[in-house]
Amino acid sequence: MGSVILVQTWKSWSIEQGGTARKREKGSFGLFDQIVLTQGRRDPVHERQAQEIQSLRERLSRACRCTDKWAVQKIKGLLPILDWLPKYPVKQWLPGDVISGVTTGLVCCLQGVAYALLASVAPVYGLYSAFFPILTYFVLGTSRHISVGPFPVTCLMVGSVVLTLAPDEHFLRPVNITGVNETAREAQRILVACTMTLLVGLFQVAMGLMQVGFLDRYLSDPLVGGFTTAAAFHVFISQIKTIVSVPIHNHNGFFSFAYTLIDVSRNINQTNIADLIAGLLTIFIVMAVKEINTKFQHKIPVPIPIEVIVTVIASAISHVMDLNSQYGVSIVHSLPRGFAPPQIPNIALIGNILGSSFSTAVVGYAVAVSVAKVYAAKTLQKHDYTVDGNQELIAFGVSNIFGGCFSSFVASTALSRTAVQESTGGKSQIAGIISALMVMIVILALGPFLQPLQKSVLAGIVLANLKGMFMQISEVPVLWRQNRTDCLIWIATCLASIVLGLDVGLLAGLVFEMGTVVVRTQFPSCATLGNVPNTNIYKNMKNYKNIDEIPGIKIFKCNSPIYFANIDYFKEKLREEVGFDAVRVFKKRNKALKKIHKLIKKGKLQATENGLVPVASLGVENQAFEKEQVPELEEGASQPDSEVKVQVDWTSELPVSVSVPTVHFHSLVVDFSAVSFLDVVAAKSLKLVVKEFIRIGASVYIAGCDGELVRRLEALSFFDEEVTRDILFLSVHDAILFIQLETSTGNDEDPLAEKHASVAAFADWLIKPPIQLQLEDEQMM
């Protein structure tokens, strides 16, 4: 029966037979080739597949090729409704969607009116913002569960821009008339909000067409958590003035929350008690009933629409008791029936709102797609659908463009509304369309019934819905225990957003987050590995007990990509782990050799086969070395160019007064299993490091590189005559076996001849027929 041997190579031979490693010499096969040696033949298995190289013209031709199937897929991708609506199971899903749509629609109405206060526009525009974006998202969106409409964070970001560009001071009446021109102020403010909404939509559509939906990945959960908590804080501060109903100035930018609190405290004596009581009661009642809904969600078929109940009761009380005339409370006043005519945004404002619009576009998309993915993952096993981030950008972008032309402000989604829509049985965006119909009914018919409603009640509804955002603070201790870096990202983003404002704070949080990534790769963890006895496992010697360091071999591992920013740190940690600087060792050895040659020249030392022997001083000069000229060593030379062959044992005491660092190992194995890439700077520096160890007599081997990293090293001209591909090994254990074989079978007298002999023996072994191999194996046994 023929013998079959499997060989794994890195363009080299690495053969094991019967548990004994054989000589590893340079071969001719590619990376990860598997060679089957049988019947005297070498049959490559798993050869690397040839890569097809296409010209630019061929790639463009292939990309522009259009088939019927491709066209249908693209159309369905752009208009997802064409994919899911024909498959809609009417009998199973429609009843749940109707109930969910009615319930969510009522919540949308009240949240739209309430969130309009955050955007600093009239309440009726909140109803528009809860209606128009749903229409386009129904056609273009890929999420079946999110409720599209106003979101507190984006509303507050819009409101800060509105108050900056249209403050009350710009609309003061003449000196003989007190107050402000509210009509002109509201017209200008909604114009600013609509222009910003249109620009936000354009940004989102552009990002969707450029396929940059991956941007939400840079908004990590700790960053989003810290940002939304800070936004909740800003919302809370902005609604205090409405709860207590005191006059204050509009503040934006750095430390705006502090200035707002100062104004409120100065005018606290002007608090309207009726507004304060109504606001506090609303907060208490809404939060209490929401807790009941959460606690008994499995027993209550439909959550109690407490916002609707509170609003109806509060409007009735305000109308019956005429609170506005009797107690001077602040009410909604105007909530006209019907829709406002479309208007053209003011292009002149774009320059002033460009940066804020982009940050709002990113925040609105990130929040919406995060919520959408949460519910898609929650129902994946039931409904089997995924959320396309790029299509979501296009859907929200078109929704904001459409809404901006019809007096709406920025739309995203709110977790509370989405939770209501999903928990009440919503299975698709049919529920969203039904909720839009409910909002339309309020706009066309029921709007005037909300005119007596106190604004403090709306502010109370807003604050009661912030509980989920504020509860994110409880994540901080958990993050601190799990990962302190993520915890610092959360805290830094939250503090920056509170102090600097939401737009600048988000940018600061992103910069801090990217900085942590850079720091973690710039200062990677490095370690010396040891062998777990009687295994091929190698672990960090500092973290495990009973780990043995292999005599004469140092194993060093870096757990990070190596690039220009961390290559110096890599070399520094390598010096610390090996215990010396290879360059310094080389220079010290050269200095010692110079002194040794001078002593030999003077006759005080004699070079023999057994090493250096001191010669007794007889008072006679050694003429044999008097005419000999010892050349000066140049840095980079491995030994002096001398006729006298000097063999120095660098581990023993030297006959000269030069302190040469001791090298305790003959081989260095660098584990690159955790290194994903190298750049030009790192490759050059690493090549110099390898050469520095080679010239002091320490062999260097690199283990664990994947094929892509090796190809990268080849492209960076890492290999040459001195640093060859033979230093590469599939694993640390493979390298250790080879080193141990080399040291146990090495011939100090003529290692080069021994190497050629092993090559010849290996070649002879390859061409032996399997019968002869089998006979030799039996004789050895």
Side-chain angles (χ1 to χ4, degrees), residues 88-150:
Y88 182 79
V90 178
K91 293 182 179 180
Q92 291 85 0
W93 287 9
L94 186 58
D97 280 339
V98 171
I99 296 174
S100 175
V102 173
T103 307
T104 308
L106 296 175
V107 176
C108 283
C109 294
L110 299 177
Q111 288 190 354
V113 173
Y115 293 159
L117 300 179
L118 298 177
S120 300
V121 295
V124 68
Y125 300 114
L127 292 175
Y128 299 160
S129 302
F131 174 73
F132 287 106
I134 297 177
L135 304 180
T136 49
Y137 188 85
F138 175 75
V139 177
L140 301 174
T142 59
S143 174
R144 300 177 185 174
H145 294 92
I146 65 172
S147 175
V148 181

Side-chain angles (χ1 to χ4, degrees), residues 448-710:
F449 292 100
L450 298 177
Q451 290 180 358
L453 181 64
Q454 292 174 254
K455 289 185 177 180
S456 62
V457 173
L458 295 176
I461 293 174
V462 171
L463 296 182
N465 282 283
L466 296 178
K467 180 188 174 182
M469 294 186 183
F470 280 122
M471 289 302 294
Q472 294 177 120
I473 298 176
S474 62
E475 298 175 0
V476 175
V478 178
L479 281 175
W480 182 259
R481 291 191 297 268
Q482 293 176 343
N483 189 311
R484 295 188 177 183
T485 302
D486 287 340
C487 183
L488 291 177
I489 292 173
W490 196 103
I491 295 174
T493 305
C494 184
L495 293 179
S497 300
I498 289 174
V499 174
L500 304 179
L502 294 179
D503 47 357
V504 180
L506 176 63
L507 178 61
L510 280 171
V511 172
F512 184 83
E513 182 184 46
M514 294 296 104
T516 61
V517 175
V518 173
V519 169
R520 279 183 277 188
T521 57
Q522 188 173 358
F523 302 102
S525 62
C526 301
T528 298
L529 303 184
N531 178 245
V532 178
N534 302 320
T535 69
N536 60 352
I537 300 173
Y538 299 84
K539 294 291 185 180
N540 188 347
M541 296 186 64
K542 295 181 180 179
N543 297 336
Y544 293 89
K545 298 179 180 180
N546 303 321
I547 299 293
D548 298 331
E549 185 172 12
I550 302 173
I553 303 175
K554 181 73 71 172
I555 307 173
F556 179 77
K557 182 175 183 179
C558 177
N559 296 307
S560 168
I562 304 176
Y563 63 109
F564 66 92
N566 66 1
I567 183 62
D568 291 333
Y569 182 80
F570 172 85
K571 294 190 293 184
E572 178 184 346
K573 296 298 292 184
L574 179 60
R575 285 193 294 268
E576 291 180 4
E577 296 296 337
V578 300
F580 59 84
D581 184 355
V583 177
R584 183 172 178 269
V585 171
F586 179 74
K587 291 181 178 180
K588 288 289 185 179
R589 287 185 178 182
N590 276 345
K591 185 177 180 180
L593 284 174
K594 289 181 182 180
K595 291 189 176 184
I596 290 172
H597 274 274
K598 288 181 181 179
L599 292 177
I600 293 174
K601 181 179 178 181
K602 293 178 180 180
K604 296 181 179 180
L605 284 177
Q606 183 178 357
T608 67
E609 294 181 356
N610 297 325
L612 298 173
V613 178
V615 179
S617 177
L618 301 176
V620 179
E621 294 183 356
N622 188 344
Q623 300 295 331
F625 295 97
E626 194 174 51
K627 296 180 181 180
E628 182 183 9
Q629 299 295 327
V630 180
E632 294 293 329
L633 278 174
E634 296 180 0
E635 183 178 343
S638 59
Q639 65 178 20
D641 185 13
S642 174
E643 296 178 1
V644 180
K645 183 178 180 180
V646 180
Q647 294 182 355
V648 181
D649 184 3
W650 297 108
T651 61
S652 61
E653 184 178 356
L654 299 178
V656 293
S657 58
V658 178
S659 177
V660 180
T662 304
V663 179
H664 298 285
F665 58 87
H666 53 74
S667 300
L668 171 65
V669 179
V670 184
D671 185 0
F672 269 18
S673 59
V675 178
S676 58
F677 74 89
L678 293 94
D679 65 354
V680 177
V681 177
K684 289 181 179 179
S685 298
L686 185 62
K687 187 174 182 178
L688 290 176
V689 169
V690 173
K691 290 185 175 182
E692 288 168 2
F693 279 98
I694 290 176
R695 66 183 182 178
I696 64 172
S699 301
V700 180
Y701 304 94
I702 299 177
C705 296
D706 63 357
E708 186 62 33
L709 185 59
V710 176

